[in-house]
Amino acid sequence: MELAEKILNGDYRAIARAVSLIEDRKPEHRELMSRLYPHGGKAHIIGITGSPGAGKSSLVNGLLGEWRRQGKKVAVIAVDPTSPFSGGALLGDRIRMRDHEEDDDVFIRSMGTRGSLGGLSEACQDVVRVMDAAGFDLVIVETVGVGQSELDIMKTADTVVLVLYPSGGDVIQAFKAGIMEIADLFIINKADLPGVEQLKGELEDLIHITERTESWEPPVIQTVSTTKKGMKQVTDKAAAHHDYLFSTGMKTERRLSQKEQEVMRRLSERFFQDINPIIKQTFDQFSGGSGETQLIEEDPYDLAEQIYMIWRQGKSRQRGEG
């Protein structure tokens, strides 16, 4: 496939075209991913999450400058809320990253969530793989917001960065949602505002009582993205975390866990496509009059079992015909 070859050679137009193919779930995107997959696995994937107003995009803009000074080639995927009308990204975070528009070693793309509850587009993992195969050293995934569903970032990133800000009032919510357990770096952005020390104290207290499965101690870094303060600290700590993942074998472990979750999700998608017509047909049989009353009274476990058995019998017949 010519498109795959162009991506492997770092052709930005080809990369942009591939992202559109993936977002639109065009049939040819499957073949493209098969071609690119063997060439990935080298990039450091960093997920940056935090509540709206934390200044994530401005922070990424500042970090891009620091990474470029270090000679890193960087791709940014800014996952925005989706317009209910066009289906496209709504915020357009690229506006806040204009400093790097003319840089040939920076690629920035906005993607819509398209209704994905996890704050990440369903297509995001495939897009990350495209950037990885294209030879970027770092792939940054900036997500929509923070909450229980934002744990989805773990399915993609090697390093998870949680961005907070003074008076944001979201540190306890982050703790309740379980974000504290998955964050590898904590950044207090807008650290020139009042309340920084209080937030830092609360954060450190919560880090100490959070149960973690790894020995990595997440650092708390203060930044002011508008003046680029703290940018080098963040890039240094992100690199240190990547080194830690390699030295402990945790990078392989994380990637295997992510692969398992992705395979399960892809299978669930296929299964749902297969069984959805049976669900609709079953419910249609009960439509109207006494049938609807019977449907309401039907135990959902029994109903699910009936639907599953119909699906299974259909598959058995297909195998017999083969």
Side-chain angles (χ1 to χ4, degrees):
M1 182 184 273
E2 187 184 352
L3 183 60
E5 292 303 318
K6 287 182 177 179
I7 290 166
L8 293 173
N9 290 325
D11 185 320
Y12 280 14
R13 286 188 179 181
I15 294 168
R17 187 178 157 209
V19 174
S20 296
L21 278 178
I22 292 165
E23 282 196 297
D24 295 336
R25 310 313 272 174
K26 298 283 187 183
E28 56 265 41
H29 104 271
R30 291 275 299 275
E31 184 189 347
L32 175 65
M33 297 315 301
S34 295
R35 293 283 188 94
L36 296 177
Y37 190 79
H39 301 278
K42 302 178 189 73
H44 181 192
I45 301 162
I46 301 176
I48 297 184
T49 187
S51 60
K56 297 187 295 296
S57 297
S58 299
L59 178 71
V60 171
N61 184 58
L63 293 173
L64 279 171
E66 187 57 42
W67 277 316
R68 290 297 300 123
R69 274 189 285 277
Q70 296 170 15
K72 303 288 186 185
K73 190 176 178 183
V74 191
V76 180
I77 305 166
V79 185
D80 296 334
T82 301
S83 164
F85 302 105
S86 67
L90 201 59
L91 295 181
D93 281 334
R94 284 178 291 184
I95 294 168
R96 301 184 191 92
M97 301 178 201
R98 280 181 177 162
D99 294 357
H100 307 280
E101 274 184 342
E102 305 301 319
D103 192 333
D104 290 338
D105 287 318
V106 174
F107 182 91
I108 301 168
R109 176 71 180 235
S110 293
M111 290 180 66
T113 54
R114 303 199 177 198
S116 175
L117 294 176
L120 287 177
S121 163
E122 274 298 306
C124 189
Q125 277 181 311
D126 283 344
V127 173
V128 167
R129 288 194 180 109
V130 169
M131 306 301 182
D132 191 355
F136 289 97
D137 301 301
L138 294 153
V139 180
I140 313 304
V141 183
E142 181 201 327
T143 70
V144 175
V146 70
Q148 179 64 45
S149 59
E150 200 65 0
L151 300 177
D152 224 24
I153 190 66
M154 270 201 78
K155 298 173 186 174
T156 302
D158 299 315
T159 300
V160 178
V161 178
L162 177 61
V163 185
L164 303 164
Y165 67 106
S167 307
D170 51 11
V171 65
I172 301 299
Q173 291 304 317
F175 179 71
K176 287 179 181 176
I179 306 294
M180 300 290 293
E181 295 169 30
I182 67 161
D184 302 301
L185 273 71
F186 292 92
I187 295 178
I188 300 176
N189 196 29
K190 304 183 180 181
D192 51 345
L193 297 177
V196 173
E197 291 306 317
Q198 181 183 344
L199 175 58
K200 187 171 183 285
E202 289 176 1
L203 202 48
E204 288 172 343
D205 288 344
L206 289 174
I207 290 169
H208 289 141
I209 64 171
T210 299
E211 291 185 15
R212 300 181 68 87
T213 56
E214 301 172 8
S215 57
W216 171 262
E217 182 76 22
V220 179
I221 306 164
Q222 296 182 30
T223 62
V224 182
S225 55
T226 52
T227 62
K228 309 297 189 287
K229 177 186 173 185
M231 298 299 115
K232 189 174 187 307
Q233 279 181 281
V234 176
T235 60
D236 286 351
K237 288 297 183 182
H241 180 254
H242 200 224
D243 291 342
Y244 160 81
L245 292 176
F246 265 115
S247 63
T248 59
M250 287 302 300
K251 181 161 184 174
T252 301
E253 195 173 314
R254 283 195 180 194
R255 291 283 172 98
L256 284 172
S257 174
Q258 290 168 353
K259 180 68 63 65
E260 182 181 353
Q261 291 178 61
E262 184 179 5
V263 169
M264 290 292 290
R265 194 169 70 252
R266 301 300 178 201
L267 284 170
S268 295
E269 288 172 7
R270 291 292 301 274
F271 179 72
F272 182 74
Q273 287 170 5
D274 225 9
I275 207 167
N276 194 42
I278 303 171
I279 297 170
K280 189 175 185 310
Q281 185 180 4
T282 303
F283 272 70
D284 285 347
Q285 287 174 357
F286 287 98
S287 62
S290 60
E292 290 178 355
T293 304
Q294 185 183 343
L295 181 61
I296 291 169
E297 292 173 352
E298 190 84 29
D299 184 327
Y301 289 95
D302 289 341
L303 201 55
E305 185 67 20
Q306 289 173 39
I307 291 167
Y308 173 73
M309 291 308 296
I310 294 169
W311 173 82
R312 191 171 171 181
Q313 286 162 11
K315 285 297 174 185
S316 297
R317 283 195 296 271
Q318 284 178 11
R319 284 195 296 269
E321 289 168 6

